[in-house]
Amino acid sequence: MMRQCILGSAVLVIALSVFSSLFNFTQAQPQTAKATTDPYEAGAINSIFSKWRILDKVDNTQWNISGEICSGAAIDTTTTIDDGTYNPFIKCDCSFNKKTTCRITALNLAQNYLTGSLPPAIGNLTRMQYMSFGINALSGELPKELGNLTQLISLAFGSNKLTGSLPYELGKLVKLEQL
Ligand SMILES: *[C@@H]1O[C@H](CO)[C@@H](O)[C@H](O)[C@H]1NC(C)=O
Ligand SMILES: *[C@@H]1O[C@H](CO)[C@@H](O)[C@H](O)[C@H]1NC(C)=O
Ligand SMILES: *[C@@H]1O[C@H](CO)[C@@H](O)[C@H](O)[C@H]1NC(C)=O
């Protein structure tokens, strides 16, 4: 009776550890799988960028235009958008959808001699927190779709050739600390 009981618990312990290692294995998968940029956001950022022209040669770009946008410095947690190490610069947060999807959280395009206008598609980058495109030569009006970026903490667009008034929709940016 005693022996059977010990044997029974041993079998149970082995079964449990096999089960838990299987479980750990399946749990570990999403972490090891490489996270990729939300395809919708990748489409939006590429369409926006294609409408702009950079008049001057940009030396220290860390923007992976041709490949995976959220890669390299964009997902390196040791560099922040404020460092000024790279410009143009983009930052992503890859914790979405069980760490398989990256979304764009910061965009620094300041002082890049950009011309063109800000397209309404900018409003699709809804996880954006820090966005700077000041000191360029952008023209036209600020799109009202900027009001869709409700996670924005900082928005900079000074020193451009923008016209018109501030969109009423900017009032929806309740997290904004700096304009
Ligand atoms: C982004 O937004 C615009 C209008 O605000 C829309 O026409 C477009 O289909 C959206 N999607 C992408 C990927 O740009
Ligand atoms: C750009 O993306 C490609 C794949 O999409 C990758 O191989 C390459 O390392 C990336 N470059 C940088 C600078 O992150
Ligand atoms: C984005 O903003 C426009 C104009 O303010 C609005 O009509 C549209 O519904 C918004 N889209 C989303 C997905 O919030």
Side-chain angles (χ1 to χ4, degrees):
M1 185 65 175
M2 187 67 169
R3 246 184 88 184
Q4 268 174 348
C5 191
I6 291 169
L7 199 67
S9 349
V11 168
L12 187 67
V13 165
I14 292 165
L16 271 177
S17 63
V18 167
F19 178 77
S20 81
S21 64
L22 272 175
F23 187 69
N24 278 340
F25 180 71
T26 50
Q27 282 264 301
Q29 285 302 75
Q31 263 115 47
T32 48
K34 220 161 174 256
T36 52
T37 315
D38 179 308
Y40 184 73
E41 293 202 353
I45 197 85
N46 284 326
S47 80
I48 293 161
F49 210 68
S50 70
K51 291 189 181 79
W52 289 341
R53 292 235 151 64
I54 298 181
L55 296 182
D56 238 34
K57 191 175 154 281
V58 179
D59 292 326
N60 57 345
T61 187
Q62 259 297 327
W63 190 324
N64 205 334
I65 296 164
S66 48
E68 178 60 41
I69 292 167
C70 296
S71 61
I75 53 168
D76 177 356
T77 49
T78 62
T79 35
T80 76
I81 208 95
D82 297 322
D83 291 352
T85 320
Y86 305 113
N87 185 5
F89 199 29
I90 203 162
K91 288 303 275 185
C92 305
D93 175 355
C94 295
S95 68
F96 295 92
N97 198 11
K98 292 183 183 160
K99 300 187 179 176
T100 60
T101 303
C102 305
R103 301 197 50 192
I104 300 163
T105 54
L107 191 60
N108 181 19
L109 292 164
Q111 300 187 59
N112 278 301
Y113 308 95
L114 293 174
T115 61
S117 62
L118 267 181
I122 201 113
N124 295 335
L125 305 171
T126 54
R127 279 279 153 184
M128 195 68 78
Q129 295 180 307
Y130 302 90
M131 191 159 69
S132 170
F133 44 88
I135 320 178
N136 281 295
L138 294 169
S139 54
E141 296 190 10
L142 285 177
K144 60 183 187 314
E145 284 77 6
L146 276 177
N148 293 0
L149 308 185
T150 52
Q151 301 298 312
L152 268 183
I153 296 168
S154 172
L155 173 65
F157 51 81
S159 296
N160 275 292
K161 294 177 178 171
L162 299 166
T163 50
S165 48
L166 292 179
Y168 180 78
E169 287 78 4
L170 290 188
K172 292 195 284 183
L173 307 180
V174 294
K175 294 190 178 173
L176 204 62
E177 292 173 11
Q178 197 175 46
L179 182 69

